[in-house]
């Protein structure tokens, strides 16, 4: 079937074949047998020694120059992502080449640019400013390396020399100049140093005198300031004492005022409570009064209804009594009329006869209550109690004619006398 291809992070594996080109970096891949091939391309930094022999400067001086360059495949973009285009470009140019062949090709490219830049500079410029030379080489070679899929990590000049002693003479001249300038500088510095020392001593004396004067003035000013500070401190203390006393007085007053306010608040609260209680009592009294009014109203209505009922009752009783009286009158009138008719029909003697016949019955009715008496006790001083009872009964019977006369208007005594005379 095929092989599993493992690509470490410092090497890119390019799988090419029926599926085209595929770059595997930092992971696993797969390559079919016979129809696909997997080759690796190193992404590590390569240190290349760039040596230029007998390079001519703009002055025609031949020099020898040796530098070191750090070169690698441009596998990352500035944002940190993989640069597959550069890896693909480096693989296109150097996939089948060995590591030595790649370094040789890059070394020749760098050496050509190095010679080219040397030809535009003087020996003095190379000698004095190697950094500028390195910067110019970097600027020229970076484009060519990117077209190959590589990048220049660093470039430094190691040594510069010549076969004719020019650099040595230049060094000696420069050394002599530096020595002369050093001696002049030493003498000048010593003279300037003595002048400076004298000047500094004079200035020091002046400064010392001025400092002494300023010190005296400063001490006087400090004394005045101290006295003023003491005065201000005393004033401040007195003011603080006044403020403390004022604060104490205000605190005491505030305490009394607060006590008075609290007492007033208590009095107001008690007055408010009493007012509320009185309002409640008034409301209760209003309710009780209203209830009493309602009760009185109901009692008045009841009395009114009772009075009306009594009036109705009295009216009905009066009407009934009037009817009774009226009926009684009618009955009496009827009796009188009947009596008159009887008188007309039977005559006076017949009436007397009837009344006489009724007298025994009347006497019996009068004595009937005595017949119901089970036991009678008579108390008398002369022993005539029983006879007195008989006398009373006889007296009551004797009064019957008078009763008949009062009821009927018939005088039995006269009638009996008249009957007796007729006989």
């Amino acid at each position: 079937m095929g092989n599993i291809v493992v690509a470490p992070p410092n090497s890119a594996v390019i799988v090419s074949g029926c599926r085209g080109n595929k770059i595997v970096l930092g992971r696993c891949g797969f390559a079919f047998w016979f129809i696909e091939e997997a080759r690796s391309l190193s992404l590590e930094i390569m240190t290349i020694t760039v040596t230029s022999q007998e390079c001519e400067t703009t002055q025609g001086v031949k020099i020898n120059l040796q530098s070191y360059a750090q070169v690698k495949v441009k596998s990352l973009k500035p944002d940190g992502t993989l640069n597959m285009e550069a890896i693909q470009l480096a693989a296109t140019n150097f996939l089948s080449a060995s590591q030595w062949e790649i370094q040789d090709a890059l070394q020749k490219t760098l050496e050509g640019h190095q010679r080219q830049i040397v030809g535009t500079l003087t020996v003095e410029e190379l000698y004095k400013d190697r950094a500028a030379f390195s910067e110019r080489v970097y600027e020229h070679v970076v484009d060519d390396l990117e077209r190959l899929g590589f990048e220049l990590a660093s470039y430094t000049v190691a040594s510069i020399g010549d076969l004719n002693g020019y650099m040595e003479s230049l060094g000696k001249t420069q050394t002599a100049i530096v020595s002369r300038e050093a001696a002049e500088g030493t003498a000048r510095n010593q003279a300037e140093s003595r002048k400076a020392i004298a000047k500094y001593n004079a200035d020091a004396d002046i400064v010392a005198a001025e400092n002494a004067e300023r010190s005296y003035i400063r001490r006087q000013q400090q004394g005045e300031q101290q006295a003023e500070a003491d005065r201000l401190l005393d004033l401040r203390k007195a003011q603080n004492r006044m403020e403390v006393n004022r604060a104490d007085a205000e605190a005491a007053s505030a305490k009394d005022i607060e006590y008075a306010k609290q007492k007033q608040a208590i009095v107001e609260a008690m007055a408010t409570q009493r007012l509320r209680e009185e309002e409640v009592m008034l409301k209760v009294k209003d309710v009780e009064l209203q209830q009493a009014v309602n009760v009185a109203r109901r009692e008045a209505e009841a009395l009114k209804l009772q009075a009306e009922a009594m009036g109705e009752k009295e009216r009905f009783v009066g009407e009934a009594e009037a009817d009774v009286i009226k009926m009684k009158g009618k009955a009496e009138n009827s009796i009188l009329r009947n009596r008159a008719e009887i008188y007309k029909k039977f005559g006076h003697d017949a009436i007397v006869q009837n009344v006489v016949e009724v007298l025994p019955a009347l006497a019996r009715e009068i004595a009937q209550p005595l017949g119901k008496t089970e036991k009678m006790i008579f108390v008398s001083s002369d022993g005539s109690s029983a006879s007195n009872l008989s006398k009373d009964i006889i007296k009551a019977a004797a009064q019957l004619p008078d009763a008949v006369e009062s009821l009927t208007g018939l005088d039995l005594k006269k009638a009996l006398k008249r009957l007796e005379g007729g006989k």
Side-chain angles (χ1 to χ4, degrees):
M1 290 293 296
N3 294 326
I4 296 176
V5 179
V6 179
N10 61 343
S11 178
V13 177
I14 292 86
V15 179
S16 59
C18 62
R19 294 182 297 172
N21 295 330
K22 185 177 181 182
I23 299 174
V24 181
L25 178 60
R27 56 189 179 88
C28 295
F30 185 80
F32 289 104
W33 291 336
F34 307 114
I35 58 176
E36 287 185 336
E37 182 181 5
R39 291 186 180 183
S40 61
L41 177 65
S42 177
L43 303 180
E44 295 179 346
I45 290 179
M46 295 177 289
T47 302
I48 301 175
T49 302
V50 183
T51 303
S52 299
Q53 298 291 336
E54 297 183 354
C55 298
E56 292 186 359
T57 63
T58 55
Q59 300 167 330
V61 178
K62 294 181 179 181
I63 63 173
N64 298 325
L65 179 63
Q66 185 178 8
S67 61
Y68 297 102
Q70 305 287 337
V71 184
K72 65 183 292 293
V73 176
K74 193 175 183 180
S75 58
L76 295 177
K77 294 181 180 179
D79 57 359
T81 58
L82 292 175
N83 191 349
M84 294 299 180
E85 293 81 2
I87 296 173
Q88 181 68 36
L89 185 59
T92 302
N93 294 322
F94 300 100
L95 184 60
S96 60
S98 63
Q99 190 73 8
W100 182 84
E101 292 175 342
I102 296 174
Q103 291 183 2
D104 182 65
L106 296 175
Q107 192 273 338
K108 290 179 179 179
T109 302
L110 292 170
E111 202 272 333
H113 284 284
Q114 185 172 266
R115 282 182 174 273
Q116 182 179 358
I117 299 303
V118 169
T120 62
L121 299 174
T122 63
V123 178
E124 288 78 5
E125 290 174 345
L126 290 171
Y127 185 80
K128 293 180 180 180
D129 196 355
R130 295 186 181 185
F133 171 72
S134 299
E135 184 67 25
R136 292 187 62 180
V137 172
Y138 180 87
E139 291 175 355
H140 281 77
V141 76
V142 66
D143 293 335
D144 288 346
L145 291 178
E146 286 182 356
R147 282 191 289 269
L148 296 175
F150 287 82
E151 63 178 344
L152 181 62
S154 67
Y155 175 83
T156 58
V157 176
S159 62
I160 301 175
D162 66 291
L163 300 177
N164 300 322
Y166 186 87
M167 297 291 292
E168 185 179 357
S169 300
L170 183 62
K172 291 180 179 180
T173 303
Q174 187 66 28
T175 300
I177 293 172
V178 170
S179 298
R180 177 177 57 82
E181 290 178 354
E184 292 176 354
T186 300
R188 186 168 52 253
N189 289 334
Q190 289 176 355
E192 293 293 333
S193 177
R194 288 194 297 272
K195 290 180 182 178
I197 290 172
K199 183 177 182 301
Y200 292 154
N201 290 330
D203 293 339
D205 294 337
I206 294 172
V207 170
E210 292 177 351
N211 289 336
E213 182 181 1
R214 284 196 296 267
S215 177
Y216 177 76
I217 295 172
R218 184 61 179 170
R219 286 196 299 271
Q220 296 298 324
Q221 291 178 350
Q222 286 179 352
E224 294 177 358
Q225 291 176 358
Q226 185 174 0
E228 181 67 18
D230 294 337
R231 185 181 67 82
L232 293 177
L233 180 60
D234 293 337
L235 291 175
R236 186 61 180 173
K237 288 181 179 179
Q239 185 177 1
N240 290 336
R241 285 195 297 270
M242 291 176 61
E243 291 179 355
V244 170
N245 295 331
R246 187 184 301 111
D248 292 339
E250 290 178 354
S253 301
K255 182 178 180 181
D256 296 336
I257 293 171
E258 184 64 24
Y259 176 76
K261 288 182 178 179
Q262 292 179 358
K263 187 174 181 181
Q264 183 179 0
I266 293 172
V267 173
E268 291 178 355
M270 295 176 64
T272 304
Q273 183 65 26
R274 288 197 298 271
L275 179 60
R276 291 180 179 176
E277 292 177 356
E278 291 177 358
E279 290 178 353
V280 172
M281 293 300 297
L282 287 175
K283 290 182 180 179
V284 172
K285 289 182 179 179
D286 290 340
V287 173
E288 292 177 352
L289 180 61
Q290 185 65 33
Q291 291 177 354
V293 170
N294 294 333
V295 171
R297 184 180 293 111
R298 288 195 295 271
E299 291 178 354
E301 292 178 355
L303 292 175
K304 181 179 180 182
L305 294 174
Q306 186 177 0
E308 292 178 355
M310 291 297 294
E312 290 293 326
K313 179 180 178 181
E314 291 177 358
R315 186 174 64 81
F316 289 146
V317 170
E319 291 179 355
E321 290 178 352
D323 292 340
V324 169
I325 294 171
K326 185 177 180 181
M327 292 175 67
K328 184 177 180 181
K330 290 180 179 181
E332 290 177 352
N333 292 331
S334 177
I335 291 170
L336 293 174
R337 283 196 300 272
N338 291 331
R339 184 182 298 172
E341 290 179 357
I342 291 170
Y343 286 162
K344 290 179 182 179
K345 185 176 181 180
F346 296 100
H348 186 269
D349 295 336
I351 296 170
V352 171
Q353 184 66 33
N354 290 330
V355 171
V356 172
E357 292 177 354
V358 174
L359 286 177
L362 290 174
R364 187 170 54 251
E365 293 294 330
I366 292 171
Q368 187 176 1
L370 294 175
K372 295 180 180 180
T373 304
E374 295 180 356
K375 183 178 181 180
M376 297 180 67
I377 298 173
F378 298 96
V379 178
S380 176
S381 62
D382 55 358
S384 60
S385 299
S387 61
N388 288 333
L389 177 62
S390 300
K391 290 179 182 180
D392 291 334
I393 294 172
I394 294 170
K395 286 181 181 181
Q399 292 176 356
L400 287 176
D402 294 332
V404 171
E405 183 180 3
S406 65
L407 292 173
T408 61
L410 180 62
D411 191 353
L412 289 178
K413 295 178 179 180
K414 291 181 179 180
L416 289 176
K417 288 180 178 181
R418 197 168 42 251
L419 288 175
E420 182 181 357
K423 291 180 177 179

